[in-house]
Amino acid sequence: MALYFRKKVLLAAIEASYGLDEVPTGAANAMLASEISINPMEGSDLERGHDTPFLGASGTIPTDLHATMTFRVELAGSGTAGTAPAWGPLLRACGVAETLNASTSVIYNPISGGFESATIYLNIDGTLYALVGARGDCNITVNASAIPQLEFTFTGLWVKPVAAALPSADYSAFLKPLAGSKANTPTFTIGGTNHVMRNFRLGLGNDVQGRFLIGPDAEQIVIVDRSDMVETQIEAVALATLDPFALARDQETVAIALAHGKTAGNIATIDVPQAQMQRPSGLTEGQGIKEWSLNLVPLPDAGNDQWTLTLT
């Protein structure tokens, strides 16, 4: 009987101990995601390379086994200020801290140690693919006339796929998102000045690597570095209002603020206090209007404060 690729259930939970399977369930840990893709058995193949009196292959040995997965989750809050969204564990497994302020806000910011990890299950029509000890990277996108997204890439230690019944999934914790628009995205500023924006991306820039050595706890997926980046395309303005060329030349920084959402419990605000302008790579146009594609590097001040994502 054919197995349907469309029939998928994605589950994820933070691990209490690195690499310990948290056994996520459809009732508590279902993730409403799209564009799910998995490479279930990545690694290397070592050639045995025997010298023999006859021609022919001598076989290989698979090593450094791991799995990778990509998918998107809609950027929306929990519906209650101070309550973490259902996708919170995914962002936490990308080297990000989650701070809950009761009845007020949930704040996410990058960290430089003590990284959490996740167990991620993907069941495709009765076959269970599992990643344990998973850590990842994320891009946060807010574009005009599009659904804001969290775009995840995860790497996890390999687990042999097994047959398992497709679980029921409870997606009730996921709110309907709002498309990026003038009404739904009331704030976008660079240097404290409002700008007309076409697209925006905050990339965490995590360097995620597999570490496969010998000894206790010697096999891990680790985050070894980070290089955050903001990419945005805005309507060009008079240089007296914003001069990206002078800012790049002088290595100047500007603050970036973006707020999306209209109702309490479903407002997401991205703040980048000091972003260094990079050299504009060129000019572009949209509908005959001159636009700038800008790249900016979020810079830390005290550390781990180069950006925040606040849900209120």
Side-chain angles (χ1 to χ4, degrees):
M1 183 176 67
L3 301 178
Y4 289 91
F5 190 70
R6 176 68 175 77
K7 297 169 66 175
K8 302 185 186 76
V9 174
L10 180 68
L11 313 174
I14 289 293
E15 295 174 341
S17 179
Y18 182 80
L20 178 64
D21 191 337
E22 283 294 311
V23 194
T25 67
N29 309 113
M31 296 293 159
L32 186 60
S34 61
E35 299 185 33
I36 303 172
S37 177
I38 185 170
N39 294 316
M41 198 174 184
E42 296 284 271
S44 300
D45 295 301
L46 299 180
E47 293 282 348
R48 299 182 69 189
H50 296 145
D51 293 326
T52 63
F54 43 82
L55 302 181
S58 57
T60 61
I61 299 174
T63 63
D64 300 347
L65 296 181
H66 59 282
T68 61
M69 187 184 302
T70 62
F71 53 88
R72 296 184 173 195
V73 175
E74 295 163 341
L75 176 59
S78 67
T80 302
T83 299
W87 46 261
L90 298 171
L91 199 54
R92 289 165 58 186
C94 292
V96 174
E98 178 185 80
T99 302
L100 305 179
N101 299 305
S103 304
T104 303
S105 65
V106 182
I107 302 174
Y108 294 96
N109 64 271
I111 54 177
S112 298
F115 301 121
E116 295 183 282
S117 59
T119 296
I120 303 176
Y121 281 6
L122 175 62
N123 192 308
I124 304 179
D125 201 8
T127 302
L128 175 61
Y129 303 90
L131 283 68
V132 298
R135 292 181 171 128
D137 188 27
C138 181
N139 294 321
I140 305 172
T141 65
V142 181
N143 299 335
S145 303
I147 298 172
Q149 303 275 0
L150 298 154
E151 303 173 350
F152 291 102
T153 300
F154 279 101
T155 303
L157 299 176
W158 185 73
V159 178
K160 181 187 175 301
V162 297
L166 196 68
S168 298
D170 181 359
Y171 299 122
S172 60
F174 287 85
L175 297 189
K176 293 179 180 178
L178 298 173
S181 69
K182 176 182 176 180
N184 297 332
T185 316
T187 301
F188 179 72
T189 63
I190 299 176
T193 302
N194 292 315
H195 287 275
V196 176
M197 180 262 285
R198 179 179 295 276
N199 53 52
F200 174 91
R201 181 178 75 89
L202 170 62
L204 274 58
N206 290 341
D207 184 356
V208 181
Q209 299 184 17
R211 186 171 170 84
F212 302 100
L213 302 177
I214 295 172
D217 302 321
E219 293 193 352
Q220 291 195 28
I221 306 302
V222 294
I223 298 174
V224 300
D225 205 351
R226 173 181 290 116
S227 182
D228 319 79
M229 177 64 76
V230 168
E231 298 177 358
T232 186
Q233 186 165 326
I234 66 171
E235 189 173 291
V237 296
L239 295 180
T241 301
L242 178 68
D243 189 341
F245 309 99
L247 289 169
R249 178 197 63 196
D250 299 336
Q251 305 173 49
E252 293 292 336
T253 63
V254 291
I256 300 173
L258 184 155
H260 177 79
K262 298 191 296 183
T263 59
N266 196 19
I267 299 173
T269 301
I270 297 173
D271 285 300
V272 183
Q274 48 182 19
Q276 182 181 350
M277 184 71 70
Q278 304 293 284
R279 292 179 296 104
S281 57
L283 302 178
T284 186
E285 62 88 21
Q287 300 171 289
I289 305 299
K290 183 169 73 170
E291 297 182 353
W292 288 330
S293 294
L294 303 178
N295 295 335
L296 303 100
V297 177
L299 298 179
D301 183 14
N304 303 318
D305 54 1
Q306 58 264 44
W307 60 264
T308 58
L309 169 62
T310 304
L311 306 178
T312 54

